Amino acid sequence: MNTYEDSTSATIEDPSIALGSATLERSVTSRSKIVVMLPAYNEAEALPALLNEIEFAFDEAQIPYEVIVVDDGSSDDTALLASQASFHMPVQCITHVQNQGLAGALRTGVAAALAATKPGDVIVTMDADNTQPPGSVERMIQMIREGHDVVIASRYQHGSQIVGVPGYRNFLSFGARALFTVMFPIRGVRDYTCGFRAYRHEILRRADEYYGDQLVSEKGFSCMVDMLLKLHRFKPVVGEVPFILRYDQKGGASKMRVLKTVFQTIHVLIRRRLNLR
């Protein structure tokens, strides 16, 4: 198990994508590597089942892959279980000695994923709580191969289902969708807040070179929204796939503070809409 104390110290290889380039390289092939990045905080209940599903889905589809688990200062056996999984599947565990929140874990994971990939590869971000099915990744990768730069697993596409999510949270999610659609419409996007996404390596490389550590700058769960809004600067082709959100399979209690996340997300939206930062 690797020990990772400073999320800013990861080495980024080969910053070869010029910011002035008019187009992004789109050469994703059937043998491109897929790196799945999992921010994890006290996910010992859910992580083993999720890693097993990832292994099954990728082996069945014969897709080369690697999993990066960012253990964000967990007090349970999250890091141990991730390390044990590395004996039968390609898993790297990066450990924060202290909890840095989702933004800190995402920042570390993106840096590690960029260092582990090259042009033509794909980086997938997922929750580590086993609520998002790895079986959806194959369809997301196919859309990347067809020319998309970012693909979002969306709760609002035909064929999606939401299982086990409290009604008030569904209401808030639909309200957030309506607000974003009006204030910051992005072609191809209905689900702005879901963190289950596939990114072409090149689009994240360009964003990382432009923003640096500020690519993931917001605290809490609003960092996923902010990251998507920042990527919009580079005019990516964005698409969505339906998926089944299995909140009934979630291990442990939710770590999201719903009202706090709502206010943080609205604050981010207003700032980005007014171009304040």
Side-chain angles (χ1 to χ4, degrees):
M1 180 180 68
N2 296 325
T3 300
Y4 194 100
E5 297 185 15
D6 182 359
S7 63
T8 64
S9 66
T11 300
I12 304 298
E13 299 176 353
D14 186 23
S16 59
I17 308 299
L19 287 175
S21 176
T23 60
L24 293 172
E25 176 62 45
R26 304 185 186 280
S27 57
V28 177
T29 70
S30 60
R31 303 310 296 170
S32 298
K33 184 171 72 171
I34 313 303
V35 171
V36 180
M37 197 279 287
L38 306 174
Y41 175 62
N42 288 343
E43 296 292 359
E45 290 185 46
L47 187 61
L50 174 60
L51 291 175
N52 286 338
E53 288 295 321
I54 290 174
E55 182 179 28
F56 176 80
F58 280 77
D59 286 351
E60 184 178 51
Q62 297 184 333
I63 299 173
Y65 75 99
E66 177 184 345
V67 179
I68 297 175
V69 177
V70 180
D71 171 41
D72 190 30
S74 298
S75 58
D76 64 5
D77 289 333
T78 295
L80 175 63
L81 292 169
S83 297
Q84 289 175 343
S86 68
F87 288 101
H88 61 85
M89 62 186 293
V91 176
Q92 174 190 6
C93 184
I94 301 173
T95 300
H96 287 168
V97 175
Q98 295 182 336
N99 178 260
Q100 299 180 23
L102 177 60
L106 185 64
R107 189 180 305 114
T108 295
V110 167
L114 284 172
T117 54
K118 63 184 184 305
D121 292 341
V122 179
I123 296 169
V124 175
T125 57
M126 295 181 66
D127 292 347
D129 60 3
N130 199 31
T131 61
Q132 300 166 343
S136 298
V137 174
E138 186 176 6
R139 195 182 319 181
M140 299 165 76
I141 294 169
Q142 182 59 39
M143 290 185 65
I144 295 286
R145 289 175 183 154
E146 292 170 359
H148 291 82
D149 300 305
V150 181
V151 179
I152 302 168
S154 172
R155 294 163 290 181
Y156 308 123
Q157 287 291 331
H158 179 71
S160 294
Q161 294 186 46
I162 301 173
V163 181
V165 177
Y168 76 94
R169 288 190 58 167
N170 283 327
F171 175 77
L172 290 173
S173 295
F174 278 106
R177 173 195 167 190
L179 183 63
F180 276 97
T181 301
V182 171
M183 291 190 64
F184 209 118
I186 298 177
R187 185 176 181 180
V189 180
R190 294 184 180 182
D191 198 332
Y192 287 76
T193 58
C194 183
F196 188 9
R197 302 172 185 167
Y199 303 90
R200 188 183 299 276
H201 165 96
E202 292 87 335
I203 188 70
L204 278 187
R205 172 67 72 192
R206 291 186 68 187
D208 180 72
E209 290 180 347
Y210 185 86
Y211 287 105
D213 289 341
Q214 294 304 303
L215 176 59
V216 186
S217 57
E218 294 298 318
K219 296 181 180 179
F221 289 84
S222 62
C223 66
M224 297 305 305
V225 172
D226 188 49
M227 189 172 173
L228 182 63
L229 299 185
K230 286 175 177 173
L231 288 177
H232 185 57
R233 169 185 293 273
F234 306 101
K235 297 180 172 56
V237 178
V238 185
E240 294 187 338
V241 300
F243 82 112
I244 301 174
L245 177 61
R246 292 298 305 268
Y247 208 75
D248 59 327
Q249 295 180 169
K250 181 177 178 61
S254 174
K255 301 168 185 67
M256 178 185 289
R257 300 295 178 260
V258 177
L259 290 179
K260 181 178 180 180
T261 299
V262 168
F263 286 119
Q264 286 176 335
T265 302
I266 292 174
H267 187 227
V268 168
L269 174 60
I270 293 172
R271 287 209 323 274
R272 295 289 167 230
R273 186 67 181 86
L274 298 177
N275 293 319
L276 294 180
R277 184 166 64 85

